[in-house]
Amino acid sequence: MSSPAANIATAISTATLDSESPALLQSITSHGGYAFTRMATLAAAGDQRAAEAACEMAWEQLHSGPWHSVLPVWRDAYSMACLHVAKFHFSNGEFRDALRSLDMGIIMGGPLLRKDLDSAIEVVLAAKSRYYHNGVADDDKEGHGDAGSRLLVSPQEFDKSEVLRILPIRSLSSKIVGKRSALSLEAFLCEYFLSGSPVIITDCMAHWPARTRWNDMDYLRRIAGDRTVPVEVGKNYLCSEWKQELVTFSEFLERVQSTGCRSKAPTYLAQHQLFDQINDLRKDISIPDYCCAGGGELRSVNAWFGPAGTVTPLHHDPHHNILAQVVGKKYVRLYSATYSEELYPYSETMLNNSSQVDLDNIDEVEFPKSAIGGVLILEVQWCLRICKHLVFFLCLCCKILFGREVDFMYIKTFAGKIYVQPA
């Protein structure tokens, strides 16, 4: 069989890069990037080593200090270098390497060249599909066990006694948040949104392809297996051993399946704009009409994906949230805004959106006012108008959080264990 490169009929086109390159290189030079400009120029002329060198130079600039202090021009410079590197991998038929370079450009790069990155990914995926369709074995499609092992969450009965054993004490003894079926937008706005009350809306996701597809390991590997995603490794971001990594989605799935609920270092895909990055997964969901309540704009659609036992520290978010539980089950504890003082937020600037209270092990001496609030168990359903809340994964699960800004109400969401606070 001929090499992959010989079967490639379409080259990666970079219309934005071609038009914006002179101005971008001039801006990079004005910020001291003389060496980068030279390497990028050589890369554009066909020097692969220069492209790789430019990528490393931009990477160093991205890690020269706190992320918020990185100059935007260096993020665009990194995207430029990633495009150059991807072109070389693609021309050599190295599809996975090309995808990794392009994903890195999306995750770490700036917005200037995003259209070029997205279109290049489509070209690489199409070429990869044609190549493997012509009889070449794809490693991601083989050797993954029987049909039962390919389910992320097995169809087993919910064991309440086991849940009570692993959840914090008195977890199921408080008031349960009410459920509504086929709740109209007007009723949601008047009865829940304006009053800042939480509600679970059932039967809103039955038409989503994600409900079945995202529980299928083969489907996820085929759609996203070669894509690079950011993950968190460790109990939570307040622990000293916590870290972030960039791995392929296939590697992430393997880690999730092999992680027990007592693991000290679970791997968690958290608060990532996965659907902006992987369009095929975006096609499996729908934006709920409830996101339109009260006006304002949809700010983000983020994905959380992790194993049983995953807990995010108590924290708040700056937007109204709609939580969609797609696969699996989770425990959610909700708090009223009146308990803000009892949740002891950190005073440090970097952590002032997080609580010092660990609900798994409350230190009543250090935190004597610690509150025990209302509780709710989520399966595959909506939870809307979450304000201050705690989330504990009961089994491996996938969830989506739709965050939106509103004109007349402010909401904080303590998540992780997720805690909700009305305005």
Side-chain angles (χ1 to χ4, degrees), residues 56-104:
E56 291 177 3
M57 291 176 185
W59 181 262
E60 290 178 1
Q61 289 295 325
L62 297 183
H63 294 80
S64 60
W67 182 250
H68 63 80
S69 68
V70 175
L71 293 175
V73 69
W74 280 111
R75 295 187 61 194
D76 290 327
Y78 185 70
S79 294
M80 169 188 275
C82 287
L83 279 167
H84 284 311
V85 171
K87 282 185 174 182
F88 289 111
H89 286 310
F90 184 67
S91 64
N92 295 330
E94 299 161 352
F95 303 129
R96 290 188 175 92
D97 291 332
L99 284 173
R100 177 173 176 79
S101 294
L102 295 169
D103 278 328
M104 292 297 292

Side-chain angles (χ1 to χ4, degrees), residues 367-397:
F367 308 115
K369 298 180 182 180
S370 298
I372 301 295
V375 178
L376 135 76
I377 293 289
L378 294 183
E379 296 189 24
V380 182
Q381 53 206 355
W382 294 110
C383 178
L384 300 130
R385 280 294 292 120
I386 291 186
C387 307
K388 208 183 273 182
H389 55 282
L390 150 73
V391 172
F392 190 106
F393 285 16
L394 302 179
C395 61
L396 184 149
C397 66

